[in-house]
Amino acid sequence: MRRLLAVAFWVAFFVPASAEALSLQCVPREPLLEVLVSQGGSFTAFLTFPDGLICPVATGEGWRDVPPASSDPAA
């Protein structure tokens, strides 16, 4: 999940896009990062900026949920 977040932020801030392209994809929303996942494993990550604009920043196939790491040192 951390890797996906890092990729999403990198894409959002370093991949050039025209203002026209962003205006076609972006809609108002509260600030956050969302990942929508289908039952088949495809996913789309959306990043919401502080000004309320939401933009798709990543898509892919083969999403897998990873269980949280155990805090038990014996595990």
Side-chain angles (χ1 to χ4, degrees):
M1 183 65 175
R2 286 183 184 179
R3 177 180 239 168
L4 178 61
L5 289 174
V7 169
F9 281 106
W10 186 88
V11 168
F13 293 105
F14 297 110
V15 173
S18 70
E20 294 162 357
L22 290 177
S23 67
L24 295 175
Q25 302 175 43
C26 303
V27 295
R29 187 86 171 178
E30 292 183 29
L32 50 86
L33 175 71
E34 293 180 273
V35 179
L36 304 178
V37 182
S38 75
Q39 290 181 351
S42 64
F43 65 90
T44 303
F46 295 91
L47 180 64
T48 305
F49 295 92
D51 65 0
L53 214 53
I54 185 170
C55 303
V57 292
T59 60
E61 299 288 330
W63 179 271
R64 291 182 289 158
D65 287 329
V66 177
S70 172
S71 59
D72 181 8

